Amino acid sequence: MSTTMHETPDHKLGRRRFLGVAAGAAAAGAAVATGLSSGAASAAPGKANGLLIPAPNRGIILYSVRDRISAAPDSSGVPYGFRQVFERLSRIGYREIEFAGYTQSTQILGRQITTEEIRRLLDDNGLVANGTHATIPGTITPDTLAAFEQQLDIAEALGMKHIGTGGDPTGSNYKADWDAAAERWNILGEMAAKRGLMLYTHNHDAAYGFLLDSGPLDAQGRPTRSSGVRKLEYFFGLTDPKYVFFELDIYWAHVAQHRFRTYTDPDGFTQTDVFDPVATVAARTKRFPLFHAKDGVRTGEAPGVGGGYTMVPFGTGDIDFATFFRQIGAKGWHLPNWEQDNAPGGSADPGRSLRYAQLSYDNMAALRG
């Protein structure tokens, strides 16, 4: 799938339906133009001017600015390392941080930064760690459980309430593998809960494809057709809602909506079922404490062909975030983290990911229902 950026001189709020109410958009735009967000910051969750994402809930996963977290000291003038990047993100207005690793260039301190030092930098900049894409064991053994406890130690030290992973519970299409994954996640989720943490998994598009659970068997004895249930939605029912939670990647959910529209039923007939990201969250809204607020522009591919979208900064694409956040329920409760996989500009444009962080924050702050 292509990830080519759609660059324009100024694509902030370029698609007006994104904001929902024209008057609200104008007021928000004026605040952004002056570099201020005091109106959003003072608004009560879900109230003033139809605000959909309260200021304290606006977050970022550091994967979006991974190039600047990992950068060595240079002469570009662009922030590098945890200290400088946290300072910039805090000035932009972000308050919630999701981690994607805990290391920076050893050239900054002459050694690797410690967990305790990262926590101090968070506190110094008024930032809260809301989660992490850590390594979740693929098997249950004494060694893997001990390694998971170490991940829980780090999460606790950084003040997190959630711990998760950037991958799906399994990449399989088959029921037996999802059954095994659910058993494992229930065990790990209970371990996390005993430490005051919520274990979550982050979806890609394939997780919302159809489970192969019926029909004739293939040469390896595996089913070849589907009852119409989607893989991750099957997982919802197998896992304990007290212990296993979810981070919906809104972009990948829309890619799934584009890709996975038909399945072959147990009798061999083609059935159509279009995925609804809003409905899957609204039915179990408090099992989704976190989101990846990632935007995309439609590529023009026919439904079911390719991915259908390419990633762009939040608020400059075709995904209707106003409707999404208005309809999922529990307004003001969720923590959306901006993510854009292709934000880094490389050596040719080292400041791009932080510019996109600013643009995406401004558009998130302007989002009205």
Side-chain angles (χ1 to χ4, degrees), residues 141-222:
T141 69
D143 287 345
T144 61
L145 293 181
F148 185 56
E149 290 282 9
Q150 292 178 341
Q151 293 292 322
L152 297 175
D153 290 341
I154 295 171
E156 277 195 291
L158 291 175
M160 294 178 191
K161 298 299 183 185
H162 313 89
I163 183 171
T165 180
D168 299 319
T170 172
S172 173
N173 291 325
Y174 302 105
K175 178 178 178 295
D177 295 319
W178 284 89
D179 290 341
E183 182 178 2
R184 183 173 70 253
W185 275 71
N186 280 330
I187 292 170
L188 298 171
E190 186 172 7
M191 289 175 61
K194 289 178 179 177
R195 306 278 291 270
L197 291 158
M198 300 164 71
L199 178 67
Y200 67 93
T201 181
H202 164 280
N203 67 277
H204 290 88
D205 55 316
Y208 286 111
F210 295 102
L211 187 71
L212 295 180
D213 59 356
S214 58
L217 303 181
D218 65 13
Q220 286 76 46
R222 301 172 301 186

Side-chain angles (χ1 to χ4, degrees), residues 2-46:
S2 171
T3 55
T4 302
M5 293 302 304
H6 291 240
E7 297 279 8
T8 62
D10 181 5
H11 51 210
K12 179 166 58 180
L13 305 180
R15 301 171 192 275
R16 306 311 295 176
R17 67 174 184 77
F18 161 77
L19 289 177
V21 179
V32 167
T34 63
L36 300 175
S37 57
S38 57
S42 62

Side-chain angles (χ1 to χ4, degrees), residues 248-277:
L248 186 83
D249 186 302
I250 302 170
Y251 172 91
W252 289 118
H254 281 77
V255 171
Q257 182 182 67
H258 177 86
R259 287 188 62 196
F260 303 113
R261 305 170 74 92
T262 63
Y263 64 93
T264 303
D265 72 14
D267 296 317
F269 295 99
T270 299
Q271 304 291 343
T272 298
D273 179 15
V274 179
F275 179 59
D276 184 346

Side-chain angles (χ1 to χ4, degrees), residues 6-78:
H6 291 240
E7 297 279 8
T8 62
D10 181 5
H11 51 210
K12 179 166 58 180
L13 305 180
R15 301 171 192 275
R16 306 311 295 176
R17 67 174 184 77
F18 161 77
L19 289 177
V21 179
V32 167
T34 63
L36 300 175
S37 57
S38 57
S42 62
K47 292 186 179 180
N49 300 318
L51 188 69
L52 289 176
I53 304 176
N57 294 24
R58 296 171 199 150
I60 178 174
I61 180 168
L62 296 181
Y63 185 71
S64 302
V65 292
R66 61 193 181 277
D67 58 324
R68 300 317 304 170
I69 293 290
S70 63
D74 59 38
S75 59
S76 68
V78 181

